Each structure stands twice: as structure tokens, then as C-alpha cells.
Amino acid sequence: MADIFLTNTLSRKKENFVPIKPGFVGIYSCGPTVYRNVHIGNLRTYIAADLLKRTLLYNGLKVSHVKNITDVGHMRTSGADEHYDPIINEALREGKLPLELAQHYTELYHEDEKKLRVISAEENPKATEHIPEMIGMIKILLDKGFAYEVEGTVYFDVKKFQDYGKLSGNTLDKMDKLLEAVRVSVETDKKDSADFALWKKADEDRAMSWDSPWGKGFPGWHIECSAMSTKYLGNHFDIHTGGEDLVFPHHEDEIAQSEAAFGEKFVNFWAHAGYLLVDDKKMARSVGNFYTLEDIEKKGFNPLAFRYLTLTTHYKSRLNFTWDSLEASQKTLNNLYREISGYGSEIKKTTCAKYEEPFIKAINDDLDLPKALVIVQDLISSDCSVECKLTTLLRFDEVLGLGFKEYVRVTIPSQVRKLVDEREKARNEKNFARSDELRAKIAELGFEVVDETDGPNLKKIIK
Ligand code: AMP
Ligand code: ZN
């Protein structure tokens, strides 16, 4: 296996990535809080994790990717120190039950990812379906003396965990100042301002609360990720991803609770994606620069133009989104598609090493996709044969995820045409068994029939 280098937030250095179990990589990604459509900032972070997964797969590794769905809202603060749970609030506003609302936005999120060719995670665990696992972990922390209960609320005792601050650099000596700025005034019963809630007492009438050994309540923000990642990937796993905003406190607290509970290292590599900005500003509904994939599609762009745009900036750097930059990405992508559609459909056994070697080097160097895109352009303008270009580009697309296959122009043999006509006749006669039989025959000859509103369309099956 070629060497893979990844920047690790833990060491703040680029390190040689070696999986814990040879040939196999476990990745956990913090997924969306499902009370609204995900925005293009969230999607940038998810595409970064997808590029990581695809790069590992390209290197022949097996990957098990777990990405949670946060359907228990964690408390947020708005305006004059008002605390609210976004899922419950939004459900009330939309006249839905919280779980109904969460399900609705979970489905939309999966659709967005599909449009962006983000490979589905092997597991998408929901917080609401893992309350017993969270309670189990909190019990361990109480037993080991890392947590304490105050009238139905359980806090993690940060001072008991020596290594606190190793990810973010926010060690206990620096915490007082930091917390002054973000002090959560409702939590006045904590021993120390740095302590954080593992379990929160709920009012009797609160929607989304559960019975626990400490009475009716709901989990704190961080515990779900520790409970679900370790359930699916083991107490010690390879890579944890998220956006840069999650380094502190979310990931710092995940490390503290997991390592305190299980007594071993939690995660080897922490990979954080840089923020997406819009016109150099933070995205916010109130500023009117808050965009979703739907907004992009409404303006007539292909969602993959957004994916392409994210590849042009290194995942760790901030990405400045502008409509002009999206327009430029769409143009470059269309040019690529046009090139590919002129290459015929002959696929060779091997790719062009002169271009694949530097491509692998680029992606394995902390996912240097901007460099990989330059190699794509170099290959296109080279004097390689069209078969060689096509074969190599299709291989590269296993990482790029830009849907190159869809643009391969093919000539359809007359034998296949005949079978398609015959199938149409069978379908008109409602003889679906025959139609399925013919579809299978067509597939054997290397074509897939796609039934569209204006009739059947054919796609070459490219393996
Ligand atoms: P949230 O739904 O707010 O919990 O965020 C889900 C994921 O999106 C997390 O990994 C965040 O770090 C990431 N994220 C949120 N806002 C942005 C942004 N503007 N740019 C990039 N990533 C973001
Ligand atoms: Zn998380």
C-alpha cells in the first residue's frame, strides 16, 4: 500500500496514516442536527469526509463509515441568553411532532448527499435510538468517579480528566477565561464552570425526554457521539471527522468522556474541515447569505458543480463560496463532460501510469484535491490516446465523484435496439414478466434500460 498522509488535529501535524487493523479503517463523522435543511457549509464538511473515504478505498482499504443523525436537539443560546432546543422549537413552529420533523429533514439530507455523490455511510445511527447506550456510558462515568449528579442532571467532572485540552489546546488553566465568554447561566449547580452535562433533567411536560436512573431527562450534546461511535467501531478506532467548529468543546468533550469511561485511547486521527464562508462572511439566516443545495439547483446549477467547487480548495482551508466561483466550477465541469463524451467507450485494462502515479501521490498527501484537478487537466491536454484518457479519468472519478460515467458516449448495437423495441411492446401489453426478461438480456449485452417520461433510454454499464 502507498503511504497516506493526513493532518491530525491532535498533533497539529501531517502524519503517516496507518490503520489499527491492517486493511481496515473505521471512520466516525458528526452528522447533521435534523431540524432544518442542511446548508452548503455542512455539505462541504460531508464532502471532505467523502473524499477521505474514497481516497482510502482507492488505496484498497476497506472502510466502515459511521455518521450519526442528531435527532435530539442540543440546547442553543440565542439573543438575550434564551435557551432553546432547535428540534422541539422548529417542530412546534411547523406543527409537527419532533420525531416527524427529524425524519423529514433526515430524508432531505440523504437526498442532498445522493445528489452530491457522497457515498452513504455504512451506519447512520440516530441519537433517539441509542439512549440506553448513552445511559450505560454515563453510569460507567459515575461509577469511576468522573461524573456527579445534581438533582437529576449529571455532569462530567472535567478536573478529574488529566488530559483535558489535548485536542483543542483549551487546557483547564485556560478554561476560566474562555468560559467567561460563553457561560451557560442555567447550569449554576456545576462544581466547576468547565464541567459539562452528560444528562439533563427534563421538565415534566418536555417532548423528547426519557426515563433514566436519575429521573426523566435527555442526553447532553456530546455523549451521543461517544456512545454511538464506540458501539459501532469499538472503543479505539481510526478516524473521527467534523467541521473546525467542533474541535471545542464537542470533540474535546468526546475524548474526555470516552477515554475516562473506557480507559484507552479513543481516536488515532482527528480530521477537521475548514469552514465554508459566503462572500467572506459567516453564513447566517439573519444576514441572508444562508444557502442550501436547493438554492443552488433553483439557480440552474448542477449540484455536482458545488462538489467540484469544494475540490478546488484544500479541505482544511476555508472555502469562500460566491455565485461567480460556482459559475466557474460549472463551466469547467461542463468542459470535462464534453471532453469525455468525445472519447468513445473503449475501456483499457490499465490506466495511464504517467498520470495516475502523481494523482495517487496528490490524494494521499492529505487529500490534495486541488493538485489532483491540475493532473486531470494535464491528462486531458496530453497526447495520450482517448481510450487511455477515458480509462484513467473513470478511475480518477472513483475519488472525484463527479459522475464521469454518465457522459461516456456509446454506440448502441442493432441487436440491443431490437431487444429494447421488443421490451417496449411487452410493456405496452402489460407483459411485465417478459419485459423483465428482456431487460436482463439487454443487461447481459452491457446496457441498462432507464425508463424515462419520453421513452426508454440506454446507458452502457461501465464496471
Ligand atoms: P450541525 O448540524 O450544525 O451540528 O453541523 C453539522 C456539521 O457541519 C458539523 O461537522 C459542523 O462542523 C459542520 N459545519 C457547520 N457549519 C459549517 C460551515 N459553515 N462550513 C463548514 N462546515 C460546517
Ligand atoms: Zn458529534
Side-chain angles (χ1 to χ4, degrees):
M1 192 186 92
D3 278 343
I4 301 171
F5 294 92
L6 269 185
T7 299
N8 189 350
T9 312
L10 256 184
S11 63
R12 292 156 194 86
K13 282 195 197 105
K14 219 190 275 188
E15 292 177 33
N16 191 353
F17 171 75
V18 181
I20 298 168
K21 196 167 135 200
F24 174 87
V25 186
I27 308 180
Y28 183 86
S29 297
C30 289
T33 309
V34 280
Y35 67 99
R36 55 158 164 72
N37 266 314
V38 294
H39 56 60
I40 56 174
N42 302 135
L43 292 169
R44 195 261 168 131
T45 292
Y46 303 149
I47 292 172
D50 185 57
L51 293 170
L52 170 64
K53 179 174 183 175
R54 285 171 175 268
T55 296
L56 297 168
L57 291 170
Y58 200 99
N59 281 274
L61 294 160
K62 286 206 169 68
V63 178
S64 177
H65 188 197
V66 180
K67 191 167 173 192
N68 70 311
I69 302 286
T70 299
D71 55 358
V72 179
H74 42 263
M75 302 301 264
R76 299 193 175 192
T77 312
S78 82
D81 216 21
E82 177 203 343
H83 295 275
Y84 70 99
D85 174 318
I87 294 182
I88 295 177
N89 255 35
E90 196 54 33
L92 281 172
R93 224 177 55 82
E94 292 192 20
K96 288 190 174 128
L97 292 171
L99 271 185
E100 248 180 323
L101 177 101
Q103 185 55 31
H104 172 68
Y105 286 113
T106 303
E107 280 161 20
L108 292 183
Y109 146 73
H110 286 309
E111 277 173 29
D112 277 0
E113 285 211 323
K114 204 164 163 205
K115 287 180 188 164
L116 290 168
R117 293 187 174 263
V118 170
I119 301 176
S120 307
E122 279 64 38
E123 298 282 351
N124 287 112
K126 294 180 177 171
T128 50
E129 291 170 6
H130 293 79
I131 303 291
E133 285 83 349
M134 297 184 221
I135 291 179
M137 236 184 119
I138 299 170
K139 275 191 190 160
I140 297 176
L141 289 168
L142 280 163
D143 285 348
K144 289 193 167 181
F146 283 103
Y148 58 94
E149 187 209 336
V150 186
E151 290 174 14
T153 292
V154 184
Y155 291 109
F156 185 87
D157 194 342
V158 169
K159 280 209 167 69
K160 296 260 169 72
F161 185 70
Q162 295 303 318
D163 276 350
Y164 197 82
K166 67 178 169 185
L167 183 74
S168 62
N170 296 331
T171 43
L172 279 173
D173 51 328
K174 298 182 195 153
M175 285 284 279
D176 276 346
K177 256 210 179 108
L178 253 162
L179 285 160
E180 209 50 56
V182 293
R183 197 176 292 278
V184 182
S185 61
V186 286
E187 293 177 350
T188 48
D189 48 3
K190 299 193 276 192
K191 279 196 213 162
D192 192 287
S193 53
D195 296 349
F196 58 89
L198 296 164
W199 186 261
K200 297 184 188 186
K201 181 186 168 74
D203 294 336
E204 261 319 299
D205 58 348
R206 189 183 198 276
M208 298 196 117
S209 54
W210 291 265
D211 289 328
S212 80
W214 319 286
K216 231 178 170 40
F218 59 103
W221 174 19
H222 319 300
I223 193 74
E224 71 172 89
C225 287
S226 287
M228 296 194 281
S229 59
T230 52
K231 171 171 177 177
Y232 294 98
L233 297 171
N235 294 347
H236 176 207
F237 61 92
D238 296 295
I239 309 176
H240 194 312
T241 78
E244 61 174 316
D245 59 316
L246 297 188
V247 174
F248 183 84
H250 188 50
H251 291 162
E252 193 69 66
D253 291 352
E254 270 189 50
I255 293 177
Q257 19 176 67
S258 309
E259 298 194 353
F262 304 123
E264 58 182 305
K265 188 170 186 179
F266 176 41
V267 171
N268 279 0
F269 276 78
W270 288 86
H272 290 102
Y275 242 43
L276 176 141
L277 303 173
V278 172
D279 295 318
D280 283 318
K281 287 188 214 69
K282 198 171 172 207
M283 216 174 6
R285 275 218 167 102
S286 54
V287 182
N289 66 353
F290 180 102
Y291 300 125
T292 62
L293 196 61
E294 201 185 339
D295 296 322
I296 284 180
E297 288 183 283
K298 272 193 192 146
K299 286 195 182 241
F301 290 102
N302 178 344
L304 293 175
F306 176 69
R307 182 175 174 106
Y308 188 92
L309 175 64
T310 68
L311 306 187
T312 60
T313 302
H314 190 264
Y315 79 96
K316 291 208 80 65
S317 307
R318 293 203 163 160
L319 168 70
N320 188 31
F321 175 89
T322 63
W323 290 107
D324 283 349
S325 61
L326 186 63
E327 180 94 50
S329 290
Q330 179 77 75
K331 271 200 185 129
T332 314
L333 188 60
N334 287 348
N335 284 339
L336 281 173
Y337 290 156
R338 209 167 301 122
E339 279 288 333
I340 289 165
S341 65
Y343 288 167
S345 61
E346 197 184 318
I347 313 286
K348 294 177 60 153
K349 283 217 164 58
T350 54
T351 57
C352 180
K354 187 175 163 203
Y355 293 93
E356 193 180 4
E357 276 163 20
F359 181 86
I360 296 177
K361 209 162 167 225
I363 57 171
N364 283 3
D365 181 15
D366 204 18
L367 318 181
D368 193 345
L369 268 302
K371 196 183 258 175
L373 290 182
V374 173
I375 296 163
V376 166
Q377 294 299 339
D378 287 349
L379 168 67
I380 283 176
S381 47
S382 73
D383 52 12
C384 289
S385 67
V386 290
E387 297 82 34
C388 182
K389 286 183 185 177
L390 180 63
T391 309
T392 310
L393 284 172
L394 289 175
R395 174 90 173 115
F396 288 179
D397 202 43
E398 288 171 25
V399 174
L400 306 174
L402 295 168
F404 288 169
K405 261 187 200 176
E406 309 286 324
Y407 292 85
V408 177
R409 168 99 33 98
V410 290
T411 17
I412 297 157
S414 60
Q415 190 193 0
V416 173
R417 274 263 161 258
K418 263 195 206 142
L419 290 172
V420 172
D421 291 344
E422 219 179 294
R423 181 175 170 273
E424 263 311 273
K425 204 164 148 257
R427 265 163 60 85
N428 289 337
E429 288 161 3
K430 305 224 176 308
N431 186 351
F432 296 115
R434 176 75 184 139
S435 142
D436 285 348
E437 220 176 86
L438 286 160
R439 170 193 282 281
K441 269 197 182 156
I442 296 166
E444 270 168 34
L445 295 170
F447 289 86
E448 185 198 347
V449 195
V450 185
D451 293 309
E452 290 171 357
T453 41
D454 56 348
N457 204 349
L458 280 176
K459 276 191 186 162
K460 180 140 177 75
I461 300 170
I462 296 171
K463 298 217 172 82

